[in-house]
């Protein structure tokens, strides 16, 4: 039965230990995170402290060793793989440090890629893609390939792609990590501006204190758990 929680995203007592040939690698211990509808949080922390691992667990790309994640009352880790994939595709958007755009496809085609699971994009989907591309300032680059774009432009295209299915939750892993200061500022502005307009939930892992400081809620990884900054 479907249960609705007041809190849209809730991670409870998340523990993660990777099993490796060299033995168990404990990474997360008792991590708790709650995000309200429309909420936004930044996560900082040293390299290797488990930020990406936590983001992958929130995004259902990696399962926790123990603990639960619920989004709108659903626990995706109780689903089989096919349902998990559908859940991820419908409700979660990702933006990584590397843009991961398909080099042989135009900006428009890249932005439409996540929508292809529903079949060939219809007119409304194409119009949404074009509007998003315009919002990230790439109207003039719509039919260009990634190789013809600057680093900041590629990341803006990746942001438009992450939003094409209007995800409830947008997860970003060091989204400005590969950019020069000016492009990083543009991407950060867009990220926050689109979040305000769309009222989705936003979790951003970043090394940039400047970007992290712009979030209403600021957390950091400390000793395998999360605390307020
Ligand atoms: P961060 O994003 O904060 O840099 P990560 O979540 O990538 O940290 O990694 C946290 C720790 O977990 C590191 O010590 C890393 O080596 C280890 N780790 C990450 N992924 C794996 C994996 N698939 N298998 C084993 N260990 C891993
Ligand atoms: Mg990382």
């Amino acid at each position: 039965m479907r249960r609705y929680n007041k809190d849209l995203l809730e991670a409870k007592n998340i523990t993660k230990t990777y099993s490796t040939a060299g033995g168990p690698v404990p990474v997360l211990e008792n991590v708790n995170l709650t995000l309200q509808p429309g909420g936004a949080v930044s996560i900082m922390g040293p390299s290797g402290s488990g930020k990406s691992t936590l983001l992958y667990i929130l995004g259902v790309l990696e399962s926790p060793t123990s603990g639960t994640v619920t989004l709108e009352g659903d626990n995706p880790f109780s689903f089989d793989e096919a349902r998990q994939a559908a859940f991820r595709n419908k409700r979660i958007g990702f933006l990584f440090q590397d843009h991961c755009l398909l080099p042989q496809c135009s900006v428009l085609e890249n932005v439409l890629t996540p929508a292809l699971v529903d079949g060939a994009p219809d007119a409304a989907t194409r119009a949404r893609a074009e509007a998003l591309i315009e919002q990230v300032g790439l109207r003039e680059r719509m039919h260009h390939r990634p190789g013809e774009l600057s680093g900041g432009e590629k990341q803006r295209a990746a942001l438009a792609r992450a939003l094409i299915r209007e995800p409830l939750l947008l997860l970003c892993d060091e989204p400005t990590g590969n950019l020069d200061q000016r492009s990083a500022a543009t991407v950060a502005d867009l990220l926050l501006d689109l979040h305000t307009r769309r009222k989705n939930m936003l979790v951003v892992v970043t090394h940039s204190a400047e970007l992290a400081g712009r979030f209403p809620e600021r957390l950091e990884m400390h000793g395998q758990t999360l605390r307020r900054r």
Side-chain angles (χ1 to χ4, degrees):
M1 204 174 75
R2 201 178 158 90
R3 301 176 313 279
Y4 285 94
N5 284 6
K6 173 171 71 63
D7 304 314
L8 276 185
L9 173 68
E10 197 164 44
K12 269 193 180 161
N13 301 322
I14 299 294
T15 296
K16 178 71 183 181
T17 299
Y18 287 108
S19 323
T20 70
V25 179
V27 179
L28 301 175
E29 184 66 46
N30 231 8
V31 170
N32 290 287
L33 176 70
T34 303
L35 206 54
Q36 306 288 339
V41 62
S42 60
I43 301 176
M44 294 192 80
S47 189
S49 62
K51 303 179 302 297
S52 293
T53 299
L54 176 60
L55 215 62
Y56 297 160
I57 291 172
L58 297 177
V60 204
L61 292 169
E62 183 78 64
S63 50
T65 306
S66 64
T68 56
V69 175
T70 50
L71 189 58
E72 283 190 315
D74 283 330
N75 169 8
F77 294 108
S78 69
F79 298 164
D80 65 24
E81 239 172 77
R83 221 176 134 199
Q84 246 178 38
F87 176 93
R88 197 184 302 120
N89 202 287
K90 180 155 187 282
R91 301 208 220 174
I92 305 173
F94 294 95
L95 184 62
F96 298 104
Q97 181 167 2
D98 180 82
H99 53 81
C100 308
L101 297 170
L102 300 170
Q104 72 278 25
C105 294
S106 69
V107 168
L108 179 61
E109 288 162 347
N110 267 287
V111 171
L112 283 169
T113 307
L116 295 177
V117 291
D118 295 329
D122 56 18
T125 308
R126 280 184 73 94
R128 202 163 65 241
E130 287 174 12
L132 268 168
I133 290 168
E134 176 133 24
Q135 281 170 25
V136 299
L138 291 179
R139 197 160 76 92
E140 308 299 321
R141 298 283 181 273
M142 190 147 356
H143 303 292
H144 289 227
R145 290 183 180 186
E148 299 159 354
L149 304 179
S150 72
E153 287 170 339
K154 283 183 228 181
Q155 199 59 328
R156 285 188 266 149
L159 175 59
R161 179 186 54 187
L163 295 172
I164 187 66
R165 300 202 77 204
E166 305 184 316
L168 182 65
L169 173 63
L170 178 61
L171 300 171
C172 307
D173 198 352
E174 303 191 22
T176 61
N178 277 346
L179 304 179
D180 62 74
Q181 216 173 352
R182 206 167 139 210
S183 307
T186 309
V187 168
D189 287 347
L190 275 169
L191 201 54
L192 288 159
D193 180 41
L194 286 170
H195 167 72
T196 308
R197 285 206 240 169
R198 295 174 163 262
K199 300 183 175 58
N200 53 3
M201 290 186 283
L202 176 63
V203 180
V204 175
V205 163
T206 182
H207 279 297
S208 160
E210 194 186 332
L211 174 55
R214 294 175 67 180
F215 284 71
E217 193 178 357
R218 298 172 296 278
L219 302 174
E220 70 179 344
M221 287 300 305
H222 183 82
Q224 302 183 348
T225 197
L226 270 181
R227 69 176 190 191
R228 277 176 204 289
R229 280 181 64 229

